[in-house]
């Protein structure tokens, strides 16, 4: 398994501002992902953070709104830009690692960042 | 279109009861993961199943992967209040860049 940390753990922001969320993995990983989740609901993939190239965004998410950096194999950031109350959510990062099942990579998650936009 | 149908979405039971959560798809998965998430935390991996027909046990939890690798189930025996949480199934497919397809989640509440 892996230890994945996120900062900040929670924040309250004013509309129109931007927040950058950091994700740190304690080992080098190939794939990192960013998700959004409403409390009690399932996860929605925002994008795949690619090391050394631009992130790959899912339908409904764009780079101008959610710019992502992946400067190395252990770190990524997600920025939520020009925030509105609709951006209030839990933001999760994850990483794929070969764990106990060595023939496949398994995805491990950070603790999440709880964002409230007023 | 939901590629992985998870049911039930809500389940409230008494301590000591048994329960089963299902995840079904028309697609074949190379592996399937089950996660449990508590409020204020990220999803925690419970198990990964890879082989069709595979059964894995984790204390009172039994996970099964369908023979055709299109469906999976989680059975909890003698549920306890500590089992309360959001259970998520997620499937991986070949050539998808490591992305997971998540079910809708099952919110389980076990009352003492």
């Amino acid at each position: 398994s892996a230890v994945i940390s996120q900062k900040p753990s929670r924040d309250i922001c004013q509309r129109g501002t931007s927040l950058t969320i950091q994700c740190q993995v304690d080992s080098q990983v190939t794939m990192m992902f960013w998700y959004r989740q409403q409390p009690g609901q399932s996860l929605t993939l925002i994008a795949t953070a690619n090391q050394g190239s631009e992130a790959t965004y899912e339908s409904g998410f764009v780079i101008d709104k959610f710019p992502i950096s992946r400067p190395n194999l252990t770190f990524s950031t997600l920025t939520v830009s020009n925030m509105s109350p609709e951006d209030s959510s839990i933001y999760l990062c994850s990483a794929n690692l070969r764990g106990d099942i060595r023939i496949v990579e398994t995805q491990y998650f950070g603790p999440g960042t709880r964002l409230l936009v007023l | 279109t939901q590629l992985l149908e998870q049911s039930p979405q809500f389940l409230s039971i008494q301590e000591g009861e048994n329960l089963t959560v299902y995840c079904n798809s028309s697609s074949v998965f190379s592996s399937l993961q089950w996660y449990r998430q508590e409020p204020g935390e990220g999803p925690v991996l419970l198990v990964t199943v890879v082989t069709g027909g595979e059964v894995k046990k984790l204390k009172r939890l039994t996970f099964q992967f369908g023979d055709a690798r299109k469906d999976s189930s989680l059975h909890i025996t003698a549920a306890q209040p500590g089992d309360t949480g959001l259970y998520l199934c997620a499937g991986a497919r070949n050539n998808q860049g490591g992305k997971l397809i998540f079910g809708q989640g099952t919110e389980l509440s076990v009352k003492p």
Side-chain angles (χ1 to χ4, degrees):
Chain A
S1 62
V3 175
I4 302 176
S5 59
Q6 284 184 237
K7 288 195 298 187
S9 59
R10 59 179 67 244
D11 208 342
I12 301 173
C13 301
Q14 296 297 320
R15 70 170 67 210
T17 63
S18 297
L19 175 71
T20 295
I21 303 168
Q22 299 180 10
C23 180
Q24 179 75 53
V25 187
D26 68 348
S27 57
Q28 292 187 342
V29 296
T30 52
M31 310 298 294
M32 293 183 73
F33 304 90
W34 287 97
Y35 291 85
R36 188 167 67 183
Q37 182 186 31
Q38 296 299 326
Q41 296 185 21
S42 192
L43 281 63
T44 299
L45 181 63
I46 297 172
T48 302
N50 302 308
Q51 197 270 328
S53 63
E54 272 195 6
T56 305
Y57 290 84
E58 298 299 303
S59 176
F61 298 96
V62 294
I63 187 172
D64 290 346
K65 177 67 176 177
F66 296 102
I68 287 170
S69 78
R70 178 93 192 269
N72 56 51
L73 292 175
T74 65
F75 186 78
S76 178
T77 67
L78 169 76
T79 299
V80 186
S81 303
N82 189 24
M83 289 184 285
S84 67
E86 291 71 34
D87 294 320
S88 298
S89 191
I90 303 166
Y91 291 86
L92 294 153
C93 73
S94 71
N96 272 10
L97 287 162
R98 291 191 187 277
D100 294 336
I101 306 296
R102 298 193 182 280
I103 59 174
V104 298
E105 289 192 327
T106 302
Q107 205 162 117
Y108 295 88
F109 286 84
T113 295
R114 280 136 194 87
L115 172 62
L116 176 62
V117 184
L118 303 177
Chain B
T1 301
Q2 183 67 33
L3 296 180
L4 194 53
E5 295 286 342
Q6 185 172 347
S7 63
Q9 292 192 35
F10 301 96
L11 197 52
S12 181
I13 61 173
Q14 293 296 127
E15 182 175 3
E17 292 183 9
N18 302 331
L19 68 114
T20 302
V21 179
Y22 299 94
C23 275
N24 296 294
S25 176
S26 57
S27 302
V28 175
F29 293 105
S30 56
S31 67
L32 193 137
Q33 281 113 42
W34 284 91
Y35 296 87
R36 178 168 163 266
Q37 184 179 22
E38 295 189 53
E41 299 181 7
V44 174
L45 180 70
L46 296 174
V47 77
T48 300
V49 287
V50 177
T51 306
E54 183 176 3
V55 177
K56 283 194 171 179
K57 289 182 184 283
L58 188 66
K59 297 184 180 177
R60 293 176 293 101
L61 278 61
T62 301
F63 304 86
Q64 187 162 9
F65 202 14
D67 291 341
R69 291 185 290 135
K70 294 182 180 180
D71 55 87
S72 182
S73 64
L74 158 61
H75 182 78
I76 302 179
T77 304
Q80 299 176 1
D83 295 326
T84 294
L86 178 67
Y87 289 82
L88 296 157
C89 63
R93 299 199 304 199
N94 291 329
N95 305 317
Q96 292 296 306
K99 292 192 295 187
L100 291 177
I101 297 168
F102 278 86
Q104 298 97 322
T106 296
E107 191 83 63
L108 172 64
S109 174
V110 183
K111 302 186 189 309

